Amino acid sequence: MQTRIVQMVAAIAAVAIALIVARTEAFASGNESCSTTSTNVTSGPSSNGAEATCDAEVGPSNKAKAQASGNDADATSDASNGSDATAAAKGTDADATAEADSGSDAKATAKGADADATSEAVGPSGSEAISSASGEDSDATAAAGGGSEAKATAKGKDADATSSAGGGSQAVSSAKGEDTYATAVADNGSNAKATASGTDSEAEASAEETGSSVTAFATKGSTAIGSDTAPPTCTPKNGGKAKVTSPMGNCG
């Protein structure tokens, strides 16, 4: 009987220790999140410095959500005047910021050490901005205004993608690979798309004239630069491709 009691006590102690460890790990994980429709809400900073901030105070019902996970990760969302903003940061020093105003939508996602994603969408007419940065030191920035759409995707170490759209335009940039760079700028009802993949590739697309469309595509360290105001530049390298389509001419 005494042996059985000792075994039972040991089993209970083991369960208790397991629960303590589980609770400690959950606390140490530093997952912070917030959600609001009409107030300011902050979660954290946790023991590892993670912090999530949500702000949705002005105008009609809004939706602001933020989630941060990792040492000193920071996620901030700001929605006003009937808008939605979502920010998620995961990784050491990861940073995600989403701001939306005047019936717009903004979403920013950063994953990886020092990854940075920023999205800003403003009116009038409601706009949409989506940024996604994945990888160490990756950076994605999307800005849209005046009923425009902007999307930026950076994937890989030191990858950098930037998209800016205004006046009912669309801008899309994608940089995938180490040290890749892609930027797309569109205004006055135009379209710009820049795609870069592979180490050291660079793609730039700029459209300013109403109704114009510019695309730039680069792989394996090549460079492609196009606009609707200047002749295109295509510099293929390492057996890769460089291609531009624009009102000012095509190459590649």
Side-chain angles (χ1 to χ4, degrees), residues 30-36 40-46 48-55 64-70 72-78 87-89 94-96:
N31 293 319
E32 300 294 339
S33 63
C34 59
S35 178
T36 182
N40 290 341
V41 179
T42 298
S43 177
S46 65
N48 67 350
E51 185 172 16
T53 303
C54 299
D55 185 357
K65 296 181 179 180
Q67 183 175 15
S69 175
D72 296 315
D74 186 74
T76 302
S77 64
D78 189 335
D95 196 318

Side-chain angles (χ1 to χ4, degrees), residues 197-229:
S197 64
T199 303
D200 293 322
S201 297
E202 180 179 349
E204 298 181 30
S206 177
E208 300 178 7
E209 304 295 332
T210 302
S212 68
S213 179
V214 178
T215 62
F217 177 78
T219 68
K220 297 183 179 180
S222 303
T223 298
I225 302 174
S227 78
D228 57 3
T229 59

Side-chain angles (χ1 to χ4, degrees), residues 4 7-8 11-12 57 70 78 126 133 143 149 162 191-192 198 233 237:
R4 184 175 300 176
Q7 291 175 341
M8 185 178 296
I12 293 174
E57 284 193 297
D78 189 335
E149 297 179 11
T162 302
N191 292 275
T233 298
K237 292 181 179 180

Side-chain angles (χ1 to χ4, degrees), residues 24-251:
T24 301
E25 289 178 346
F27 178 75
S29 65
N31 293 319
E32 300 294 339
S33 63
C34 59
S35 178
T36 182
T37 59
S38 60
T39 59
N40 290 341
V41 179
T42 298
S43 177
S46 65
S47 60
N48 67 350
E51 185 172 16
T53 303
C54 299
D55 185 357
E57 284 193 297
V58 183
S61 181
N62 304 284
K63 293 180 181 179
K65 296 181 179 180
Q67 183 175 15
S69 175
N71 294 335
D72 296 315
D74 186 74
T76 302
S77 64
D78 189 335
S80 58
N81 296 311
S83 301
D84 293 349
T86 303
K90 184 177 182 180
T92 300
D93 292 314
D95 196 318
T97 302
E99 299 182 4
D101 188 20
S102 301
S104 300
D105 296 324
K107 183 177 181 180
T109 305
K111 295 181 180 180
D114 294 302
D116 194 319
T118 303
S119 292
E120 182 179 2
V122 298
S125 302
S127 301
E128 182 178 47
I130 300 174
S131 64
S132 176
S134 177
E136 184 180 351
D137 290 312
S138 58
D139 192 298
T141 302
S148 300
E149 297 179 11
K151 183 177 182 180
T153 303
K155 186 176 182 180
K157 189 176 186 297
D158 292 311
D160 192 314
T162 302
S163 290
S164 178
S169 302
Q170 183 180 60
V172 179
S173 63
S174 175
K176 296 183 179 181
E178 186 173 351
D179 291 314
T180 54
Y181 176 82
T183 180
V185 179
D187 201 2
N188 301 313
S190 61
N191 292 275
K193 184 177 182 180
T195 305
S197 64
T199 303
D200 293 322
S201 297
E202 180 179 349
E204 298 181 30
S206 177
E208 300 178 7
E209 304 295 332
T210 302
S212 68
S213 179
V214 178
T215 62
F217 177 78
T219 68
K220 297 183 179 180
S222 303
T223 298
I225 302 174
S227 78
D228 57 3
T229 59
T233 298
C234 292
T235 309
K237 292 181 179 180
N238 308 315
K241 296 181 179 180
K243 184 176 181 179
V244 170
T245 303
S246 74
M248 294 297 292
N250 306 326
C251 63

